[in-house]
Amino acid sequence: MKQKRWRCTVCGEIFEGDAPPAPCPVCGAGADAFVAEAAPAAQRWKCTVCGEIFEGDAPPAPCPVCGAGADAFVAEAAPAAQRWKCTVCGEIFEGDAPPAPCPVCGAGADAFVAEKEAPGGVLGGSDSRFVIVGGGGAGLAAAKAIREVDRTAKVTLVCGEGVIPYNRPGLSRLVAEGAGFESVALEPYDWYGGQQIELVCDARVERIDPQRREALLSDGRALPYTALLLAAGANAFCPVKAGPGAPPVRVLRSFADAAALLEDVRPGVSAVVVGGGILGLEAAMALHRRGAKVRVVELAQRILSIQADAFVSGRIEQALRALGMEVDTGVSVSAVEADGAHLSDGRVLPAEVVLVSAGIRSELGLAQALGLALGRGICVDASMRTSLPGIYAAGDCAEFEGRVAGLWGAALEMGRTAGRAMCGHEAAYRPPVPATAFEAPGISLFAVGSVNGEGLQTVERRDDEAGVYRKLALRNGRLVGVLMLGRPAGGAAAIAAVERGASLQDALGLLAQQAEKA
């Protein structure tokens, strides 16, 4: 009987046995850091005489069907799995059906569309070297895109956080559930070996030499490159500072941030969340689920001022209060002192931990040293090229047409575009329509595009008894936003309608469909 395989989610090593080793012999992680690992897929062999396919470590000899010898067999690739794209976060999954809900953003099955097959690969001949600086969503998307069109180039992914790429939008869920790193890892550790993608988790890129085309690591190594991608992401913006003896002021941008927050939060702790946007509310819900007494402080006059209109913001605030949370709007945290969080209106809120969700700032250190053209981010063209030959940028560190998107879906699309362009393929980035899905007790929100602003024509449908609200927003007769509260359905259709700028007549048809599904 074959022994079970166990993978350590911290260091990635695989062990065999009836139970995982504890602690891990490599990195010392505990037994709860291990997950059961599936056995590697069996090799498939095709007989070129009769066409039959067999599985095994080696081809059967002779062929059980036609009697051909072992030299008549060729290795056969596994059949391509169906690909499903989440239209909210942009992630692509494989399987007979889309995952529901989306493991990254939580969107429902109706937010998925069947994705066309991956571009065909170049089976040999390329000796290119690609270095990707940053192991976030954009970096991993670029590595996957490279492998879809070039099977033999050397691909090195330098993960600056010391861990393999993970689902950053899933950090709030990790905090809520108290889960381990394996719950947010985007791919298992051994997947990278199977794709021949070299991971560097124990060093950072400290300097780039564009003349020699080398990335110099903190451990002294030099990585030569044909093309290099800057995908170092962004840092959390934290304008709130802790005074002497004050409770900790945290952000939730990295896995390390999530681990630190879990150390601070226990049932009954008073937690102040600074920021009432979508990420702030997701973090607030996570702390609430951990048993904390949560208070949200938002500078704007209402929460979710970007994703929702005034009516929906009010309803969501009511739902949060019904859960036992407090909400303060039109006010900011001016300081965090030993006695609590000081507000701009003079009040002092009890606080044993303060969590700030106030946006991001692009990571520009390497780009500044290179002298790249910069705005708020690294300026790129539609192929993600920077102002220096051979250097590309993607994700939260990149600025396209004067804007840093700061969205997971945009980072993925940028990464895919950069990966193909680095291989010499035609690729042009098209910014995705922003979409948000937010689920919590008493709250079911789906928002696409823009539903606020001057000069919008709006159509609303509301059923207070059913708790359902639908809103269409049009500019110059074309659909620019859809807002759904209460049993949202047809997310992919709503996104597609905004992308094509549906007419009023078509938009009204979409509204009718939503009402029927609700």
Side-chain angles (χ1 to χ4, degrees):
M1 178 182 296
K2 287 187 176 181
Q3 289 186 308
K4 291 183 179 179
R5 291 159 51 90
W6 304 93
R7 177 171 57 85
C8 174
T9 57
V10 176
C11 67
E13 285 291 335
I14 296 175
F15 304 89
E16 292 188 348
D18 295 332
C24 173
V26 175
C27 68
D32 59 345
F34 284 85
V35 293
E37 179 77 359
Q43 176 64 61
R44 292 158 53 90
W45 304 93
K46 181 176 181 178
C47 175
T48 56
V49 176
C50 67
E52 283 291 335
I53 296 175
F54 304 88
E55 292 187 349
D57 295 333
C63 173
V65 175
C66 68
D71 60 345
F73 283 86
V74 292
E76 177 78 358
Q82 175 65 58
R83 291 157 53 91
W84 303 93
K85 183 175 182 178
C86 174
T87 54
V88 175
C89 68
E91 283 285 354
I92 296 174
F93 304 89
E94 293 185 348
D96 295 333
C102 173
V104 172
C105 70
D110 61 307
F112 283 86
V113 293
E115 177 76 353
K116 63 184 179 181
E117 292 184 3
V122 178
L123 298 181
S126 170
D127 58 358
S128 298
R129 294 172 176 265
F130 299 113
V131 173
I132 299 171
V133 183
L140 178 56
K144 289 182 175 181
I146 291 170
R147 272 292 169 258
E148 287 174 348
V149 297
D150 192 329
R151 302 295 189 193
T152 60
K154 182 175 178 59
V155 180
T156 303
L157 188 61
V158 184
C159 305
E161 292 185 43
V163 293
I164 63 178
Y166 62 90
N167 166 21
R168 201 177 301 278
L171 291 176
S172 290
R173 187 171 66 249
L174 182 150
V175 171
E177 298 172 355
F181 181 78
E182 71 278 1
S183 69
V184 291
L186 288 169
E187 297 289 353
Y189 187 88
D190 58 351
W191 176 88
Y192 297 90
Q195 293 292 316
Q196 294 184 315
I197 296 173
E198 179 187 11
L199 287 173
V200 176
C201 295
D202 57 352
R204 294 172 176 267
V205 174
E206 288 196 337
R207 187 166 65 87
I208 297 167
D209 186 336
Q211 281 72 44
R212 297 175 62 89
R213 293 211 173 195
E214 287 184 338
L216 306 174
L217 302 184
S218 56
D219 62 3
R221 282 180 288 170
L223 301 178
Y225 66 82
T226 306
L228 178 142
L229 175 65
L230 293 172
N235 304 304
F237 175 57
C238 186
V240 179
K241 305 301 179 185
V249 174
R250 303 292 188 193
V251 295
L252 187 53
R253 178 70 187 170
S254 68
F255 175 70
D257 293 334
L261 194 57
L262 282 171
E263 290 290 325
D264 296 329
V265 179
R266 59 188 183 278
V269 161
S270 295
V272 172
V273 176
V274 182
I278 191 69
L279 295 180
L281 294 192
E282 287 178 346
M285 284 303 310
L287 299 183
H288 171 75
R289 287 181 59 185
R290 297 295 296 171
K293 295 183 291 185
V294 179
R295 191 161 195 148
V296 177
V297 177
E298 167 57 39
L299 178 61
Q301 295 303 312
R302 57 185 177 87
I303 59 175
L304 294 178
S305 58
I306 296 176
Q307 296 87 356
D309 61 13
F311 174 77
V312 169
S313 292
R315 283 297 178 92
I316 292 180
E317 181 176 333
Q318 291 174 11
L320 295 178
R321 291 185 182 279
L323 293 172
M325 300 167 63
E326 295 294 332
V327 178
D328 292 281
T329 57
V331 68
S332 64
V333 173
S334 57
V336 178
E337 305 293 349
D339 58 346
H342 290 239
L343 302 187
S344 55
D345 62 6
R347 287 179 294 159
V348 179
L349 303 180
E352 294 168 85
V353 61
V354 175
L355 174 62
V356 178
S357 179
I360 60 171
R361 296 293 183 269
S362 297
E363 172 52 55
L364 302 177
L366 291 171
Q368 289 170 337
L370 285 167
L372 298 180
L374 303 176
R376 289 182 57 221
I378 305 168
C379 298
V380 296
D381 65 11
S383 295
M384 302 294 108
R385 296 183 182 91
T386 70
S387 55
L388 274 181
I391 297 181
Y392 297 72
D396 291 346
C397 68
E399 177 181 314
F400 177 68
E401 295 184 343
R403 184 166 179 256
V404 175
L407 299 171
W408 185 259
L412 298 184
E413 288 301 324
M414 283 183 167
R416 293 174 188 133
T417 301
R420 290 183 59 78
M422 291 163 73
C423 293
H425 286 243
E426 290 187 11
Y429 169 69
R430 189 177 75 169
V433 173
T436 297
F438 180 49
E439 297 283 338
I443 304 170
S444 187
L445 171 71
F446 191 89
V448 184
S450 176
V451 295
N452 296 302
E454 298 293 330
L456 291 181
Q457 176 188 6
T458 60
V459 181
E460 300 175 8
R461 183 161 294 169
R462 179 173 153 188
D463 184 342
D464 289 337
E465 185 176 342
V468 172
Y469 175 77
R470 303 288 187 261
K471 178 177 181 177
L472 305 177
L474 301 97
R475 178 174 283 114
N476 300 323
R478 294 295 174 181
L479 187 69
V480 295
V482 178
L483 181 60
M484 295 183 277
L485 180 67
R487 302 200 301 275
I495 291 173
V498 173
E499 284 180 337
R500 69 175 182 270
S503 66
L504 176 59
Q505 183 177 356
D506 288 346
L508 289 173
L510 174 67
L511 189 65
Q513 293 173 16
Q514 296 302 323
E516 291 173 5
K517 292 176 181 178

